[in-house]
Amino acid sequence: MMNLKRCLRVYLIMGSNNTVRDPLSVLEEALKGGITLFQYREKGANAKVGQEKKELAMKMKRLCHKYSVPFIVNDDVLLALEIGADGVHVGQDDEIVASIKAQCPKDFIIGVSTTNSQEANQAVKDGADYIGVGPIYATDTKEDVKLPIGLEGVAEIRSTVGDLPIVAIGGIKTSHVAGIIQAGADGVSVISAISQAKSPKIAARQLASLINPS
Ligand code: TZP
Ligand code: MG
């Protein structure tokens, strides 16, 4: 089994509408810069569906695997299973962990979004492999976003979930990384900080350099 905490260090999330460029070239640059995990999140305006979504997902999976980086699908458990993704990430209103576990292979990674200790504890009980914690800061990237929980929120959740792998999310820029790791997260997940960067490769490399190997 891979070291999940290490994989969570520089976690890129992206769908086709998070960039005006070709998402596959943005992804490849980010992979070259050192992202450690990728989540395909196809949502919002002009989101791809059906075969188009599946084709992009398969291309992204191949690219990630070329760089030995796990590929995770947001929400769409059936797509994740169909194309042999490494895992799935679900929110509080999506398919429940027990139902995912009933369908997926043993080593399938299951991540759950949480905003407070109660949701985090439930995710632990349900058997999530890791939790996303946030939003840490305000962000324009997600429409129905909840109130920011700040570094205090990360620290509080860390104190209740023991050693469970945690990745922080929401409005994260390079300048925030040290504080977020200090507060107890194992890594940072970003959309715009990499997908909207002039150089996704340099952006990924900067984030990676701020999280020291341990
Ligand atoms: N969930 C909580 S905040 C967020 C998601 C998917 C958006 C993160 O995007 P950005 O651009 O890194 O703030
Ligand atoms: Mg969701």
Side-chain angles (χ1 to χ4, degrees):
M1 171 82 174
M2 71 186 75
N3 183 330
L4 191 50
K5 287 192 172 208
R6 291 179 81 98
C7 291
L8 294 181
R9 282 181 184 160
V10 188
Y11 181 151
L12 173 64
I13 303 172
M14 186 174 60
S16 56
N17 66 10
N18 295 126
T19 175
V20 291
R21 297 180 45 197
D22 170 14
L24 286 167
S25 34
V26 173
L27 175 57
E28 183 146 33
E29 286 180 33
L31 288 161
K32 285 183 175 152
I35 61 163
T36 51
L37 193 149
F38 176 69
Q39 180 195 125
Y40 177 44
R41 179 177 179 274
E42 189 67 37
K43 276 208 178 170
N46 304 313
K48 292 184 190 301
V49 292
Q51 191 59 23
E52 264 193 68
K53 180 180 178 187
K54 183 176 164 184
E55 271 163 26
L56 180 56
M58 286 193 298
K59 286 180 186 159
M60 286 174 154
K61 185 195 89 167
R62 266 184 234 124
L63 201 49
C64 287
H65 287 179
K66 181 173 148 195
Y67 290 84
S68 303
V69 163
F71 172 84
I72 282 179
V73 174
N74 181 276
D75 283 2
D76 196 336
V77 180
L78 285 180
L79 176 67
L81 293 170
E82 194 181 347
I83 66 168
D86 300 296
V88 72
H89 185 96
V90 289
Q92 292 292 319
D93 302 324
D94 299 318
E95 187 163 342
I96 60 168
V97 173
S99 147
I100 300 169
K101 280 185 180 285
Q103 308 166 59
C104 71
K106 246 191 153 56
D107 55 354
F108 202 64
I109 302 166
I110 303 176
V112 177
S113 297
T114 65
T115 55
N116 55 49
S117 294
Q118 195 228 315
E119 288 173 359
N121 282 325
Q122 188 61 48
V124 173
K125 273 193 208 145
D126 293 343
D129 295 298
Y130 76 89
I131 53 172
V133 164
I136 311 299
Y137 303 110
T139 177
D140 293 330
T141 310
K142 183 173 155 81
E143 275 167 16
D144 53 343
V145 77
K146 301 188 177 140
L147 281 178
I149 62 168
L151 297 182
E152 304 73 27
V154 179
E156 193 188 318
I157 292 174
R158 168 53 80 204
S159 71
T160 67
V161 298
D163 202 33
L164 186 77
I166 291 181
V167 69
I169 186 165
I172 298 173
K173 311 284 171 237
T174 44
S175 60
H176 300 134
V177 172
I180 288 169
I181 300 300
Q182 180 75 26
D186 298 296
V188 292
S189 54
V190 302
I191 299 181
S192 54
I194 292 179
S195 71
Q196 306 273 317
K198 211 192 279 171
S199 166
K201 181 175 170 180
I202 293 172
R205 187 181 286 157
Q206 277 176 347
L207 289 168
S209 71
L210 290 163
I211 307 178
N212 289 326
S214 54

